[in-house]
Structure formats: C-alpha cells, structure tokens
Amino acid sequence: MSIQIVNVTKKFGNLEAVKDVTLEVKTGEFFTLLGPSGCGKTTLLRSIAGFNQPEKGEIYFNKKRVDKIATHKRGIGMVFQNYAVFPHLNVFNNVAYGLKARNFSADEIRPKVSRALQMVRLAGMEDRFPNQLSGGQLQRVAIARALVIEPQVLLMDEPLSNLDAKLRVEMRSEIRELQQSMKITTLYVTHDQEEALSISDRIAVMNHGVVEQMGEPWEIYNTPVNRFVAGFIGTTNFFEGTLISEQGGQGIVQVSEIKMKVSAHSPCVGEKVSFAIRPEAFKVAQEITEAERSCFLSLPGRVNKVEYLGFMTKYDLELCRGLSVKVVSYDVLPQHLRKTGETIELCYDPQRVLIC
Amino acid sequence: MKSRFWSLTTILIFLIFFFFMILPVLNLFTGSFQTQEKGAFTLQNYLSFFHYPSYWRSLWNSILIGLISAAGAMIVGVPMGYMVSRWNVMGKSLIVTLSTLPLMLPTFIAAFAWVILLGRGGIITKFLQTWGIHIGSIYGYPGMILVFVSQLYSYVFLMTLSGFSAVDESIEEAGCSLGSSQLRTFWTVSLPLVLPTILSGAILTFMSAIENFGVPMIIAQQTPNLVVKAYIEFTSEVGTHPGMAYTLSIFLILITMASLVAQRYYLSKRNFIQAARGKPKVKQLTPGKRLLASGIIYAFLIFTLIPFFVALVLSFMEMRGPVFYPRFSLQSYVYAFSRSARPIFNSYFLATISTLVAVLIGVPTGYILTRRKSAYSNALDIVIMLPFVIAGTILGIALITFFNQGWIVLTGTWVILVLSYVIRKMPFIARSSASILYQLDPSLDEASISLGVSPMKTFYKVTFRLMMGGVVSGAILSWVTIISELSSTLVLRSPSWSTMTVEMYQGVVSDDLGKAAAFSSIMIISTVIPLLLATKYFSKDKGGGILL
C-alpha cells in the first residue's frame, strides 16, 4: 500500500500549518517526517489519519482517494505520542479492541492477540491493566494494538518521545525490525534527527509547513540542500565569506581574516559564499596520514575548550578573532589529546564542504 | 453533522437556563423597582430597606454571620487540614469521609438537634439547671455560628488538606536550605502558598452560610437574615410584600455574586499549587503526641455528628407533644408512615427525576465545556455558574413569581420543583463531568477511531465508560442533596407535593418533635447509605473534589 499526498494545505485559522505538500510513500517503505515542533509534521500525519480535513489537496492510498473518507474507515493503524492505551481495559482487551470492531469471533481474536503480544514481547501480560505497566510496556501495547488489525498503513506520531533515552534507542530498533518483518508501509513523525536517521528508509525534513528536503538518510545528512536542513540534522559549522579566486573547481574563500578552500560549483569571483563543514570532517593534523595531508587544506587554530567523552573528544577552536569552529575527533590516543590554550593544525577535505 | 449536533445542544442548554433561571431572576430584579398594584416604577422598596432597621439589620446579620462562620471554619479547618496532611494521625481516609458527612447531611437537622439539646427546654439545658448552672441562649448568633462552623468547616478543612498535600517537598527544603527555620519556612513559604486555597474554602463556607435557609428559620428567632426575611415578606399571612422580598433577594444575590467573583477571578489566579513532584514528608509523631492529635481530631468529628445521633436516638423514643420519654418506641415512625407516606414518596420521586434530568443535561454540558471549546462554551461556563450565587429560597421566589401566570403556568405542580432542583444541581454534574474529561486524553478517542470504531460508538465505548464512575458518584451526591433540600422546596411545594424536608420542618415549628425526629432519621439514612455506596464503589474521586 502506497500513500500519495498531493498539494495538501491545512490551515488553522490564518496559520498555514501545512503548505502545499506533495510526497509519496512507497509500498513497504519506512518514511519519516522530521522537523522542529510546529513545523506541521503532526498536522500532516493527522490529515492522513483523517483527524483533520485539509483545505486543499488530495490524499491517496494506492491510487484510491481517501481524504473524504472517515478515519475509522481508512484502515489505518496509529500509535500515539502518549500511548492512548485505554485505561479501563486490560492488555488483552486493548489489543482486541480493533478486532472486535471488525467483528472477528472470539476464537479468531485469541490467537491473533497472543501473536501480536508475542511480537512486542508482552506475552503473558494479557490480564494486566494499564496502570500496572511501565511507559515502555504501554507503548508496546499500543503498537500491538495498531498492528493486530493488519492495517494497510501504520502511522506513528512521536511514539518514543515519552520514553527515557535508553529505552528510546532499544524501542526504535524493535519498531524497525517489526516494520521490516511485516513489510508494512509506515509513516513516522519525530523531531529527533538521530532517531529519524537510524530508523528510516527515507526522510522528509519539514519546516514552517513545507518539505525542505526529501531523501535517504545519507543524502539528508551529507548533501543538505539548504542551511536549515544542514543545521537541523547534526551539528554543523557555518561559514560566510567572499570568493576571491577559482581554479579547476577549487575556490578560495576569504572568511573573516583567513582563507579557506572549497571544492564546488561555486558562484563567480567576488560573490558571497556560505558553506558548512561538519565537526567530524575536520581532522587534527597529527592524526592524519601523509596521503591525506597532501590533498587536505590546513588551518592553524587555538584550543578554547576540550570536552573529553572517551570514545570521542570535542574541541572548540578559534581560527581567528570571532571565528570559532566545533571539531570532533574519534578514538583520540592520549598522546594526541590537546589542551586548552594550545595551538593546533586543523585539516579538512575540501570535498566535504557543503555549499549552502 | 457532528458539529451541528453540539451547536444545537449548546443552544438548548442556553435556552433552558435563559427561560428557567435568567428570566425569572431578571423579573425579580424589575419587580423590586415596581409598585405592587400597578407595576409603576418606584424606589420605595429600596428606600424602605434603608429606612427600617428590621430590613437593613437582616443584611448586616447575613454578612456578619457569614464572616464569623468562615473565620470559625478556618480556625478549626486549617490546623486540622495541616495535621491530617503533615502528621501521621490515625485513619486519614476515615477522617476525610467523616468530615464530608456534615456537608451532605441537612444542616437544619443539626439546628433542630442542637435546639433539643441546648434550647430553652433542652435536655442539656435542663440537666445543667438542676445543678444550678445556667447557660446562655443559643438562639440567634451563637446557635447559628455553632451549626455553621460544625457543619461547614469541611470546605476549609478539605481545601487546606489538599493544599498542604500538594506543596512540593523541595520548595520547603529550599526554604530550609537558605537558612530559614522550619517554623519560619511554614510562615513564609508553605502558608502563603496554600493561603489562596484556604481562602477559597472560607468563601465557600461564607456563601453556604448566607444562602442557608433552614438553620436561621429554626434557630435565628430575633436575628433573621436576608433569606429568612425575604421568605417572610413573600409568604407572610399578615399581608405580603413581594416587592420587598425581591429587593432583599437582590441584596443577597449581590453579596454572593461578589464572593464568587472574588473566588473565581482573584483567588483562583493566585493558585500556586502545582502537581507536586515530591510528596511532602509526613512527620512521624511520638506515640503519645500521635494519640493526642488523633484524639482531638476524632473528638471534633464526633462533636459535629452528635446532632445526627441525637435525631436518630430521639426518633426511637416515646413522646408526648414536645416531650420525650426515655423508652423505646416506634410510635414516631408509625405516625410518619401512616400520616405522611406521600411526602416520603415525593422526596424520592422528585430527587430521582431531577437527578436524571440533571445528568442528561449536565454530562453533555461538561463535554461541551472541555471538548467543544468556543465563545459559546465560555459563555455557557459563566451561565452555569449563576445557580451558585442564587440561594434556593431566592430561586424559589423567582420561579414561583415568573411561572404564576402567562403562557406557562407551573406554580403548584411538581414540575416547578424538579425545575429548581435541576437548575441548581446540573452545574455540579457539568463541573464534575468536565473535570473528568480534562483528565481524559483526547487521543484515547482518536485511538479508538483509528482502530475502526465510529465516533458515535467511540463515545459510548471509551469516553462514556471512563466517565461513568465520576458521573454516577456526582449523581449520587446530587440525589442526596436534593433529598435534603429545604429552601426552594418550602417556597415551591403545593399541599400534594410536600416533601420529607417540609414535613420535618413543620414538625419542628409545630412542636411535633417526634415527627421531626422520624423524618430526620429517614433523611439521614437516605443520605448516608448512598454516600457509603458511592465512596465504596467510586472512591477514586473523593467527595470533596466534586463538591468544590
């Protein structure tokens, strides 16, 4: 089952929460709407569910138009941010709720429910009531309840945001595994970029009601199309300067008091250029190989701050007055660890500069 | 279609309140400016009010008694609330249950019983006289304050209890960590935090005291308050002055309205209590002190319930006229059931019908207030607050005047009684439904709909099921308070639609004390049993929560 969203606009009063969004979720795909709060991602999800009616546009499930169909007839499964597990029903009846609405007999319901509970690793909890369950267990009940009805599409609205950090990481891989095993078309909403990158086949980054960029996780991360996407996904150093020379696809940009090399189809000499370099694209000079050194460009920088986190070390470096960058080094050997106040040489591959 | 249904419901509720409350009360207002015969404009009623001491003194009596009762309720309720919240006194849930009972039981039974004990020919009075001790008269202020403080202190107690239980432990610890002693922290941190809540309780006590009709009727004698004076002016056999009754009513409404505005718009905005993250520590007293503290609390609770024990005991005693003899007898009950079976039936019938109607209107109202928010629902929120400021007697006078003639005549029928009960109880049901709905996550409905259940069915299978417990306990509380309603009933009843409360009241004023005791006892039982059932089966929401 695929989902097509064509020119959908949803307004709340004068506010356009979703502006003319068009996208397609392919059959069996895990598709994520990612963006800051208020970007319209939940509104769009709720339009697909039918909890709100878009002012403009069409929504199709497999070429069949559904935006005028009532929610309960759309054949969706939905998982909510705050679980929405019925407090007056035990685990079994929560999961059986949708099956009963579909008039399955008691004999059919029982095996289906226990299979669903097994899937989310809650077998044996049938008689528990929601107030006896932890947050993680409640979300598993909610997932089992949404999956047991074998929905055509699964809609998930920030399902992990109420869980603690460790559980969140565990649950997201479980959700991914379930989705893969059932090959169910899934639309997932989150504001957590790490979660989105780890779980999705494709991501649409949203801001102010529009889709800024759509693509596979690596595309979104490595080739952000604009400053918003570059800034929202991961940490980034932004630079702004003037292109002072260009030769064979390599340009020199004057940024504040220093010159930086960029490799790109950049504008004409004399024009303003803004670009971004990821903290992990920088290398501290003594950590790189000779081969790399030859093609890398190096800059001197003064260490302002060191944050040692074991598996990685974060530096704040000052390249010149008023220009600081964040740098991340992984697996730093003790003898390579720099101290505050030292000056070090910083290298980067011009190929990894993101022009934006 | 769905939204049209709710719009129609909203309009219908508005119409009900407009026709059966707002118009009658407005009619009362214009009536206070009209001459009795021709209906011409006059200020005579207001001039008389300020001219004759018997009128303006009744206003003074109302205010003073209200204030003293509220102060008394604070003197008792605040320390008691603090102790139950912060000390390990024994049987806390029992204390809460016993403290809600006086709020539910008819206050005029308490007044009646205290007169039997301490009145002119009272049991205790006489006993003390044989020893040469003369206690002062309880008629007038002392008696009214005694009854109001002992029956209404719970508003302050329950508010204080919930207030002190909700102060975050870390806030007090922060006070202590900044070098403030425990006592200083109490005066500078804890008490100021809880004070708005305490004052809300005090205002409720104040309003209940000045709207109360039965207690001053029985015990005020030479110091009638506004309600009693209005009733007398309206019904007096020696020439009625309805215009004057309306004027007195307007004064009473002005006071209650000011109190409610103070509570809603001043105090509730200063409510600093948030959901506590860390429950405050309960102080572990030494066994001796614990026993002492618990003893004091239970002694007071028993004191507040004495009148009801007295009424129960007296109802099983033999009596001749106003004199009881210490012998077991069912005479009073035989008399009550044989001569006045109809009022018993009437009370149950009216309470049941009125409760059902109040639930039928109140639950959708609560739904509109929480889930269908709009300019209309905000207006509805204000409209359903109005019955709180209109004393039963005043509503009774307004209804009987308005529906006495014209195109709907209801005066003298049972419908007008039901009407007044519904108008007064429906807001409780609406409020308690709204408070349950506030706690219910709207995504529960959405989850059900997303699983393939239609919105209508979802309302029944999810929302309604989850609300039911709260609605049933709200309905029981309404039923119980209708059973013991006297103020509007006494104005609105007709000879064939008398109720237990009216019979009991007439027993008191005609010195037929056996009848009064028997009806009191039936009322007490009719109140206590449903309340016990309600707390047993729906104990999640404590009575206080719905009351306030």
Side-chain angles (χ1 to χ4, degrees):
Chain A
M1 177 71 69
S2 63
I3 308 171
Q4 287 88 25
I5 295 156
V6 185
N7 301 113
V8 164
T9 296
K10 173 66 203 168
K11 290 182 197 167
F12 292 110
N14 289 325
L15 177 85
E16 281 192 316
V18 174
K19 290 179 209 162
D20 199 27
V21 168
T22 299
L23 58 84
E24 179 173 356
V25 182
K26 296 183 195 112
T27 306
E29 190 174 36
F30 198 117
F31 193 96
T32 298
L33 298 173
L34 171 67
S37 64
C39 73
K41 55 192 191 302
T42 295
T43 305
L44 183 60
L45 184 86
R46 292 170 60 83
S47 295
I48 295 163
F51 290 127
N52 63 42
Q53 188 65 44
E55 272 72 31
K56 273 188 239 141
E58 292 129 45
I59 298 167
Y60 298 90
F61 287 175
N62 259 2
K63 305 270 170 355
K64 181 177 168 245
R65 190 163 171 185
V66 295
D67 49 286
K68 298 278 185 265
I69 297 176
T71 300
H72 64 281
K73 292 175 185 154
R74 289 193 190 186
I76 54 165
M78 186 150 170
V79 179
F80 296 81
Q81 181 171 6
N82 37 14
Y83 325 130
V85 172
F86 304 124
H88 61 308
L89 301 178
N90 64 16
V91 169
F92 180 90
N93 284 321
N94 257 289
V95 177
Y97 188 91
L99 295 173
K100 284 179 186 164
R102 283 164 176 70
N103 294 323
F104 281 98
S105 73
D107 292 336
E108 291 168 297
I109 289 174
R110 216 167 297 115
K112 276 177 190 282
V113 170
S114 48
R115 218 175 312 129
L117 286 174
Q118 236 154 34
M119 250 172 9
V120 296
R121 301 197 281 142
L122 280 182
M125 301 271 211
E126 282 84 349
D127 296 328
R128 298 271 187 100
F129 273 86
N131 58 8
Q132 300 167 296
L133 300 179
S134 68
Q137 289 171 325
L138 284 172
Q139 199 52 289
R140 285 169 209 268
V141 174
I143 292 168
R145 185 179 67 179
L147 289 177
V148 77
I149 56 174
E150 292 165 32
Q152 300 175 309
V153 296
L154 180 63
L155 306 176
M156 302 182 107
D157 184 9
E158 307 222 15
L160 305 181
S161 62
N162 279 350
L163 303 178
D164 62 64
K166 195 165 167 248
L167 200 55
R168 211 153 48 216
V169 173
E170 260 174 56
M171 285 290 286
R172 76 183 183 211
S173 61
E174 277 181 42
I175 289 176
R176 176 69 180 168
E177 277 165 30
L178 275 176
Q179 188 268 342
Q180 289 291 296
S181 66
M182 295 181 71
K183 304 252 182 303
I184 183 168
T185 310
T186 301
L187 192 63
Y188 189 94
V189 162
T190 182
H191 64 268
D192 182 335
Q193 37 112 357
E194 187 188 304
E195 194 173 295
L197 293 173
S198 74
I199 205 170
S200 319
D201 291 319
R202 279 197 306 149
I203 297 171
V205 183
M206 288 184 74
N207 191 30
H208 296 308
V210 296
V211 174
E212 301 275 359
Q213 186 173 3
M214 218 180 315
E216 292 184 34
W218 63 267
E219 286 179 288
I220 302 276
Y221 187 83
N222 290 301
T223 56
V225 294
N226 58 31
R227 196 178 171 133
F228 173 78
V229 177
F232 189 74
I233 314 285
T235 322
T236 295
N237 298 296
F238 285 106
F239 301 92
E240 267 171 41
T242 319
L243 189 70
I244 52 173
S245 72
E246 208 219 325
Q247 210 173 40
Q250 295 250 313
I252 304 292
V253 180
Q254 181 78 43
V255 180
S256 189
E257 295 161 22
I258 56 163
K259 293 183 173 64
M260 292 179 76
K261 206 187 267 185
V262 299
S263 141
H265 16 276
S266 40
C268 304
V269 172
E271 275 187 21
K272 292 248 177 255
V273 185
S274 65
F275 58 96
I277 302 174
R278 297 272 185 206
E280 68 276 14
F282 282 114
K283 293 260 150 62
V284 178
Q286 63 262 45
E287 293 170 13
I288 60 173
T289 61
E290 281 305 309
E292 281 175 324
R293 195 185 287 270
S294 60
C295 65
F296 279 20
L297 187 105
S298 77
L299 296 164
R302 204 181 79 96
V303 179
N304 267 348
K305 199 173 113 189
V306 183
E307 225 180 305
Y308 179 72
L309 296 175
F311 74 107
M312 71 167 169
T313 307
K314 291 179 178 176
Y315 294 107
D316 270 11
L317 295 174
E318 193 174 284
L319 300 180
C320 64
R321 204 168 342 113
L323 183 63
S324 302
V325 292
K326 289 185 179 356
V327 174
V328 171
S329 287
Y330 290 92
D331 195 21
V332 180
L333 297 172
Q335 63 268 31
H336 289 156
L337 202 58
R338 301 290 91 178
K339 288 202 173 62
T340 309
E342 283 183 62
T343 301
I344 55 172
E345 216 178 322
L346 202 60
C347 303
Y348 68 90
D349 181 351
Q351 300 287 333
R352 294 194 61 184
V353 171
L354 312 164
I355 301 285
C356 52
Chain B
M1 192 224 93
K2 206 166 58 179
S3 66
R4 192 183 302 159
F5 172 77
W6 288 109
S7 315
L8 283 174
T9 313
T10 311
I11 293 170
L12 190 72
I13 296 165
F14 266 119
L15 285 178
I16 291 172
F17 273 82
F18 185 72
F19 277 111
F20 298 119
M21 189 190 71
I22 295 173
L23 271 189
V25 172
L26 281 180
N27 183 49
L28 208 130
F29 182 74
T30 54
S32 72
F33 288 104
Q34 285 172 341
T35 56
Q36 201 174 331
E37 294 80 22
K38 302 220 175 94
F41 175 81
T42 178
L43 284 175
Q44 190 54 48
N45 291 321
Y46 288 87
L47 294 175
S48 309
F49 178 85
F50 289 108
H51 186 263
Y52 294 106
S54 72
Y55 292 136
W56 59 257
R57 272 201 194 123
S58 69
L59 170 67
W60 178 239
N61 287 337
S62 278
I63 294 177
L64 202 60
I65 287 166
L67 287 177
I68 297 174
S69 304
M74 281 170 77
I75 292 169
V76 179
V78 174
M80 192 167 144
Y82 183 82
M83 287 196 276
V84 175
S85 165
R86 297 300 178 84
W87 293 358
N88 63 335
V89 293
M90 290 175 248
K92 290 189 178 184
S93 62
L94 181 65
I95 292 174
V96 171
T97 310
L98 289 179
S99 73
T100 47
L101 272 183
L103 288 179
M104 295 296 135
L105 290 164
T107 43
F108 54 86
I109 292 181
F112 157 69
W114 283 116
V115 167
I116 299 253
L117 291 174
L118 297 171
R120 271 179 216 103
I123 297 168
I124 297 178
T125 316
K126 276 190 183 159
F127 177 75
L128 290 175
Q129 270 166 5
T130 60
W131 293 83
I133 303 166
H134 293 274
I135 50 166
S137 161
I138 68 152
Y139 298 98
Y141 276 37
M144 276 194 276
I145 290 160
L146 167 71
V147 174
F148 286 143
V149 172
S150 61
Q151 302 311 120
L152 304 175
Y153 76 95
S154 240
Y155 285 124
V156 178
F157 163 67
L158 292 171
M159 290 292 241
T160 309
L161 171 64
S162 69
F164 276 116
S165 306
V167 174
D168 199 315
E169 185 183 12
S170 59
I171 290 178
E172 289 177 354
E173 287 172 346
C176 290
S177 76
L178 292 167
S180 170
S181 71
Q182 282 210 333
L183 192 67
R184 205 186 120 82
T185 305
F186 173 81
W187 285 106
T188 55
V189 177
S190 320
L191 192 63
L193 278 175
V194 182
L195 197 60
T197 315
I198 294 173
L199 289 178
S200 283
I203 288 180
L204 283 169
T205 307
F206 174 80
M207 287 174 69
S208 307
I210 67 170
E211 288 186 356
N212 193 294
F213 172 76
V215 174
M217 273 312 259
I218 289 170
I219 216 169
Q221 300 217 339
Q222 302 309 313
T223 54
N225 61 7
L226 275 176
V227 187
V228 170
K229 204 75 187 154
Y231 176 77
I232 292 170
E233 291 295 325
F234 191 72
T235 57
S236 170
E237 282 156 18
V238 281
T240 59
H241 301 97
M244 198 63 222
Y246 304 154
T247 306
L248 295 164
S249 306
I250 297 300
F251 278 105
L252 188 68
I253 291 175
L254 287 178
I255 306 173
T256 43
M257 208 171 254
S259 323
L260 190 77
V261 168
Q263 201 250 327
R264 289 272 152 174
Y265 296 98
Y266 182 76
L267 289 178
S268 63
K269 293 222 165 65
R270 275 159 191 74
N271 190 358
F272 308 113
I273 309 280
Q274 311 116 347
R277 284 167 174 269
K279 279 259 160 94
K281 225 175 258 147
V282 173
K283 192 174 168 186
Q284 301 299 312
L285 302 174
T286 59
K289 281 184 181 165
R290 184 179 182 210
L291 207 63
L292 184 68
S294 311
I296 292 171
I297 291 171
Y298 281 99
F300 179 74
L301 289 171
I302 289 169
F303 174 76
T304 64
L305 295 171
I306 282 177
F308 307 103
F309 290 119
V310 169
L312 283 174
V313 171
L314 290 184
S315 69
F316 290 106
M317 276 163 56
E318 191 184 317
M319 66 151 311
R320 281 168 222 153
V323 185
F324 287 95
Y325 294 89
R327 280 192 288 275
F328 177 83
S329 160
L330 286 173
Q331 165 199 358
S332 299
Y333 288 96
V334 171
Y335 179 82
F337 282 111
S338 62
R339 300 277 295 274
S340 308
R342 179 71 196 268
I344 299 173
F345 163 79
N346 286 350
S347 280
Y348 282 96
F349 170 76
L350 293 170
T352 307
I353 294 265
S354 307
T355 302
L356 288 178
V357 177
V359 167
L360 217 61
I361 306 173
V363 175
T365 306
Y367 190 82
I368 290 167
L369 292 183
T370 44
R371 296 286 168 89
R372 302 275 151 187
K373 277 190 184 282
S374 67
Y376 301 108
S377 76
N378 290 338
L380 193 62
D381 202 13
I382 293 169
V383 167
I384 66 160
M385 226 146 70
L386 290 175
F388 289 113
V389 303
I390 300 168
T393 313
I394 310 299
L395 185 67
I397 292 175
L399 287 175
I400 203 168
T401 311
F402 191 73
F403 292 106
N404 198 21
Q405 56 209 359
W407 31 278
I408 313 176
V409 178
L410 297 174
T411 303
T413 65
W414 60 271
V415 179
I416 202 164
L417 284 163
V418 169
L419 212 60
S420 85
Y421 299 150
V422 169
I423 293 287
R424 294 183 66 204
K425 297 306 162 196
M426 175 279 203
F428 284 102
I429 305 272
R431 289 243 167 264
S432 59
S433 308
S435 73
I436 305 165
L437 279 166
Y438 269 121
Q439 291 160 22
L440 285 187
D441 189 343
S443 59
L444 287 174
D445 297 5
E446 292 177 355
S448 165
I449 293 167
S450 80
L451 291 166
V453 177
S454 70
M456 284 299 257
K457 256 186 153 175
T458 292
F459 182 81
Y460 171 70
K461 289 185 78 165
V462 179
T463 321
F464 179 75
R465 295 280 172 89
L466 288 168
M467 286 176 72
M468 205 163 65
V471 170
V472 170
S473 48
I476 289 175
L477 286 179
S478 290
W479 190 88
V480 157
T481 47
I482 294 172
I483 285 281
S484 54
E485 214 279 355
L486 175 67
S487 53
S488 66
T489 314
L490 201 57
V491 180
L492 294 170
R493 53 127 194 173
S494 60
S496 53
W497 286 99
S498 179
T499 65
M500 287 197 280
T501 50
V502 173
E503 293 298 309
M504 185 268 164
Y505 170 75
Q506 285 178 339
V508 175
V509 293
S510 62
D511 265 347
D512 191 350
L513 300 188
K515 178 176 162 185
F519 276 108
S520 295
S521 304
I522 299 171
M523 262 184 278
I524 292 168
I525 306 239
S526 311
T527 305
V528 171
I529 289 175
L531 281 180
L532 289 181
L533 289 177
T535 35
K536 186 163 181 205
Y537 290 105
F538 310 102
S539 59
K540 256 169 110 186
D541 201 314
K542 282 277 180 286
I546 284 165
L547 262 173
L548 304 178

